[in-house]
């Protein structure tokens, strides 16, 4: 895809953002789940970086464990990596707060609740699977998010909290490129999620009971959270996975058009592969580093994404990195009869089914990048304006049946990327794009020239 002469990528994304906001309130609801937590967010400035680098003296077992964790954190950020680190340590959140001071904010964590938060910010609707309705968890759920209660959908803000928190809070460390202390300079903006225990799936039985009716009215569904389970084959874990699989199958049986499974960083490559191959999802999302881990290769991301699609049986795989996002999806061979060929010659301005398919995947990438960049700019969630910072650049690569690749990885350097999106605290996964054009029920207007052949 190219912008029209004289237009910029920023202009293109602003048009996309305006369309998304204008259509949000009319879009069909999105079903979201199946993980939730509380994030304690720490922006790492020079003073906090100094505390991380210095590391407190080990005067207790907790200090020893904390020092080991900080060594892993520093190793990642100096290598320019973000992601998740799991340390099974109940005292971990309190130790981090003692080291860095109170968090800058507390907000909702988990892919599903964050998706609901982002959609609510622009006027969209969602229904969230949430079993943990403790005061701590409900306090960070967007009050406009739909929850299932007594056979009806109600706003989260109208529910009285109940029960106790079932999970430890996550500590989110946000790093900005260029921050320095005592010769240590951060090479890349990133965020590291510190988890301190295994976490169950949000097995919301009221949500599951209402699933047939919910799925019939919804535009798409989003699941995630398998990475929170323990790295073993215990009966508890098998029960958790079976519940999630039953939910996905119920969505599929109800005819839900888009079922997107967003992956994450798993304790082992084996668990990541198991999650990728689980259930009748139609779409799979993951980061570039997760793609490399899943495939055990650092080859061409387009070919690796195709391999992942074959492994998982999905119709589309979305991969996101700092400077680009790509979608590999199953195309359709359209054989034309002589009459159709003649008709096509008379209506060259009309798009073929394959072109429309590529156009839809382009809309997916544009929408996802716009949401992610807007969230990066805001530091928390997409503001109602959804005006993006410089987003990652989606490109269209020539179709190749039965797979079509939308997106341009660096292995195909046809032109310079539009720029690196802000990443500090961004959580720049592109999951909103995986379902938003489908939920809106129409394509995003775009006034640029579209590349259907290599330049």
């Amino acid at each position: 895809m190219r912008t029209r002469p004289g237009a910029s990528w920023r202009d293109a994304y602003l048009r996309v953002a305006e369309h998304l906001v204008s259509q949000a309130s009319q879009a069909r609801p999105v079903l979201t789940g199946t993980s939730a937590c509380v994030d304690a967010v720490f922006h790492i400035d020079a003073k906090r970086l100094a505390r991380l680098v210095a590391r407190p003296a080990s005067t207790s077992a907790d200090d020893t464990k904390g020092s080991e964790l900080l060594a892993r954190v520093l190793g990642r950020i100096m290598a320019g990596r973000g992601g998740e680190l799991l340390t099974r340590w109940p005292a971990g959140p309190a130790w981090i707060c003692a080291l860095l001071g109170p968090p800058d904010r507390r907000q909702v964590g988990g892919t599903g609740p964050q998706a609901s938060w982002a959609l609510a910010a622009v006027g969209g609707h969602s229904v969230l699977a949430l079993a943990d309705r403790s005061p701590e968890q409900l306090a960070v759920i967007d009050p406009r998010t739909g929850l299932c209660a007594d056979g009806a959908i109600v706003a989260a803000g109208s529910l009285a909290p109940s029960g106790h928190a079932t999970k430890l809070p996550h500590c989110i460390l946000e790093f900005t490129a260029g921050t320095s202390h005592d010769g240590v300079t951060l090479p890349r903006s990133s965020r590291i999620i510190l988890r301190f225990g295994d976490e169950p799936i949000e097995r919301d039985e009221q949500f599951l009971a209402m699933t047939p009716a919910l799925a019939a009215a919804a535009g798409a569904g989003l699941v995630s959270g398998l990475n929170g389970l323990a790295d073993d084959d215990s009966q508890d874990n098998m029960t958790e996975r079976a519940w999630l699989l039953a939910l996905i199958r119920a969505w599929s049986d109800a005819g839900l058009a888009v079922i997107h499974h967003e992956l994450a960083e798993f304790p082992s490559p084996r668990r990541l592969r198991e999650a990728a191959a689980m259930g009748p999802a139609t779409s799979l999302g993951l980061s570039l580093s997760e793609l490399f881990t899943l495939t055990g290769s650092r080859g061409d991301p387009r070919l690796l994404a195709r391999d992942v699609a074959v492994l998982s049986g999905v119709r589309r795989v979305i991969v996101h990195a700092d400077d680009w996002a790509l979608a590999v999806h199953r195309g359709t061979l359209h054989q034309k009869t002589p009459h159709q060929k003649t008709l096509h010659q008379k209506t060259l301005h009309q798009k073929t089914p394959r072109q429309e398919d590529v156009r839809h995947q382009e809309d997916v990438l544009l929408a996802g990048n716009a949401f992610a960049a807007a969230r990066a700019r805001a530091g928390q969630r997409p503001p109602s304006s959804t005006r993006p910072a410089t987003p990652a650049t989606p490109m269209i690569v020539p179709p190749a049946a039965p797979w079509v690749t939308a997106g341009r990885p660096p292995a195909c350097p046809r032109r310079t990327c539009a720029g690196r999106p802000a990443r500090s605290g961004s959580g720049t996964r592109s999951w909103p794009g995986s379902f938003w054009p489908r939920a809106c029920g129409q394509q995003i207007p775009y006034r640029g020239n579209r590349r259907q052949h290599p330049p």
Side-chain angles (χ1 to χ4, degrees):
M1 186 189 73
R2 290 173 175 166
T3 58
R4 59 186 171 83
S8 67
W9 277 111
R10 182 175 177 81
D11 292 339
Y13 276 108
L14 287 175
R15 287 194 293 272
V16 169
E18 290 167 0
H19 177 79
L20 293 176
V21 172
S22 68
Q23 297 296 319
S25 61
Q26 287 80 43
R28 287 173 288 171
V30 175
L31 308 182
T32 60
T34 44
S35 62
C37 60
V38 176
D39 284 348
V41 183
F42 300 84
H43 176 67
I44 305 302
D45 56 15
K47 290 182 179 180
R48 279 177 167 165
L49 179 61
R51 296 173 191 171
L52 294 178
V53 172
R55 301 187 214 174
S58 295
T59 59
S60 67
D62 281 340
D63 287 339
T64 299
K65 184 163 287 191
S67 182
E68 293 171 352
L69 176 58
L70 294 185
R72 296 168 65 194
V73 168
L74 292 171
R76 283 210 176 197
I77 62 173
M78 294 313 298
R81 292 181 59 201
E84 295 188 5
L85 292 174
L86 171 61
T87 303
R88 294 179 177 87
W89 180 24
W95 191 90
I96 293 293
C97 287
L99 176 68
L100 300 178
D104 296 304
R105 64 183 183 274
R106 293 183 185 274
Q107 65 184 41
V108 68
T111 300
Q114 288 182 344
S116 291
W117 188 15
L119 293 172
V122 295
H125 308 285
S126 68
V127 184
L128 171 67
L130 185 69
D132 181 356
R133 302 187 180 185
S134 64
E136 296 86 349
Q137 188 64 69
L138 276 186
V140 294
I141 297 291
D142 189 286
R144 297 162 291 187
T145 297
L147 297 178
C148 295
D150 299 325
I153 301 171
V154 300
S158 69
L159 287 179
S162 60
H164 302 284
T166 59
K167 301 169 288 291
L168 293 167
H170 295 181
C171 291
I172 313 298
L173 310 183
E174 299 180 341
F175 299 92
T176 303
T179 303
S180 62
H181 167 73
D182 195 23
V184 176
T185 301
L186 303 183
R188 174 179 178 265
S189 294
S190 61
R191 66 202 309 260
I192 292 182
I193 302 170
L194 303 181
R195 292 200 297 118
F196 299 100
D198 301 318
E199 298 167 355
I201 293 292
E202 289 293 316
R203 291 168 56 187
D204 185 346
E205 299 297 345
Q206 297 189 81
F207 183 94
L208 181 60
M210 292 183 64
T211 283
L214 293 175
L222 168 66
V223 296
S224 67
L226 283 173
N227 63 308
L229 300 179
D231 189 17
D232 59 38
D233 294 313
S234 66
Q235 184 60 48
D236 286 345
N237 279 355
M238 293 174 64
T239 300
E240 298 284 336
R241 294 188 181 96
W243 189 93
L244 181 57
L245 182 58
L247 176 66
I248 298 174
R249 284 177 174 164
W251 284 356
S252 180
D253 292 344
L256 194 58
V258 176
I259 303 173
H260 181 76
H261 184 185
E262 186 69 25
L263 298 177
E265 185 166 347
F266 278 71
S268 67
R270 179 171 73 93
R271 290 301 183 201
L272 180 58
R273 288 192 294 271
E274 290 175 352
M278 177 186 175
T282 66
S283 176
L284 197 70
L286 69 170
S287 70
L288 180 62
S289 62
E290 291 157 7
L291 177 68
F292 289 158
T293 299
L294 179 59
T295 59
S297 170
R298 300 185 70 85
D300 187 329
R302 296 167 299 180
L303 302 181
L304 298 181
R306 180 197 62 189
D307 293 344
V308 169
V310 172
L311 165 71
S312 61
V314 298
R315 297 195 60 80
R316 177 182 64 204
V317 172
I318 296 176
V319 182
H320 58 87
D322 280 5
D323 298 310
W324 51 266
L326 69 85
V328 172
H329 60 103
R330 295 179 187 269
T332 303
L333 286 173
H334 298 282
Q335 301 294 336
K336 294 185 177 64
T337 65
H339 173 72
Q340 288 173 323
K341 291 179 180 179
T342 302
L343 181 62
H344 178 65
Q345 291 172 353
K346 295 179 180 180
T347 58
L348 290 177
H349 64 284
Q350 296 180 357
K351 289 181 171 59
T352 67
R354 178 181 291 180
Q355 288 173 322
E356 293 292 351
D357 196 22
V358 173
R359 169 73 181 274
H360 174 73
Q361 302 308 326
E362 180 185 343
D363 289 349
V364 165
L365 295 180
L366 286 169
N369 289 345
F371 265 103
R375 185 179 174 195
R377 180 183 181 188
Q380 301 178 51
R381 62 176 179 176
S384 57
S385 66
T386 320
R387 285 182 169 267
T390 303
T393 306
M395 302 292 285
I396 295 298
V397 173
W403 294 96
V404 180
T405 305
R408 180 186 62 79
C412 181
R414 294 292 186 181
R415 56 180 299 192
T416 303
C417 287
R420 183 186 301 267
R423 289 189 61 86
S424 179
S426 63
T428 51
R429 290 189 174 271
S430 295
W431 41 254
S434 66
F435 49 72
W436 191 250
R438 176 72 65 178
C440 284
Q442 56 182 292
Q443 292 179 333
I444 297 170
Y446 182 79
R447 295 190 291 274
N449 295 326
R450 299 182 177 278
R451 182 177 73 189
Q452 299 299 336
H453 303 284

